[in-house]
Amino acid sequence: MKWSYYFKHWLTTVFLGSLILVYSMNSSSSFFTVSIEIYLFALLLSGFFSMPTFTVLAFVFNYLDEYEIDVKTVKTLLISITLLGVPLTQWIGLNDISLEITISYSLAAIISGMLFKLKRKDNHE
């Protein structure tokens, strides 16, 4: 499988999840009045807190790459691991689970996981 899917999924989840979170926290104001500094701060924190989940995901991705498993099954498994990792990372790192954060990043993970195509490597050996 091509690693481009993994990195696209990770970056899109972090960027889109931060955007959804900042908007949901400031839902009373207009979408364009949200401060860029708040978004950048959320982006920095989400990048940091996403590392454990996406490290596990990288190992699973590498392991599944060795087997001839259906691409849809692999995508479903990778998205599911990401969905499980969002509240688990909050619980381990912060000892608390925020519903807003969980919904924001889970929604972003589902969207980004389904948005990109997962392709197998071309084996010309």
Side-chain angles (χ1 to χ4, degrees):
M1 291 177 287
K2 294 188 177 182
W3 280 88
S4 62
Y5 173 83
Y6 168 81
F7 290 109
K8 289 177 193 175
H9 177 59
W10 185 1
L11 293 174
T12 307
T13 300
V14 169
F15 280 92
L16 186 60
S18 297
L19 189 65
I20 294 170
L21 178 65
V22 168
Y23 180 70
S24 70
M25 292 174 69
N26 297 319
S27 60
S28 61
S29 58
S30 172
F31 180 73
F32 295 105
T33 60
V34 175
S35 175
I36 191 75
E37 291 87 11
I38 295 171
Y39 175 70
L40 292 175
F41 183 69
L43 196 61
L44 179 70
L45 285 178
S46 67
F48 176 73
F49 280 109
S50 71
M51 284 184 190
T53 298
F54 280 94
T55 301
V56 169
L57 204 65
F59 284 113
V60 171
F61 189 86
N62 192 40
Y63 177 77
L64 294 175
D65 191 24
E66 298 175 9
Y67 300 99
E68 291 295 324
I69 301 174
D70 182 44
V71 172
K72 289 181 182 180
T73 305
V74 173
K75 279 180 76 168
T76 303
L77 186 60
L78 295 175
I79 293 169
S80 299
I81 291 170
T82 307
L83 293 178
L84 181 65
V86 171
L88 193 61
T89 302
Q90 290 179 66
W91 183 62
I92 292 171
L94 303 173
N95 212 16
D96 187 31
I97 297 176
S98 167
L99 186 62
E100 283 181 333
I101 294 172
T102 302
I103 291 174
S104 298
Y105 288 99
S106 296
L107 183 62
I110 292 169
I111 292 170
S112 68
M114 293 173 55
L115 181 67
F116 301 110
K117 283 189 172 187
L118 177 59
K119 297 178 185 176
R120 297 223 176 259
K121 291 179 189 172
D122 296 330
N123 290 331
H124 296 287
E125 299 172 4

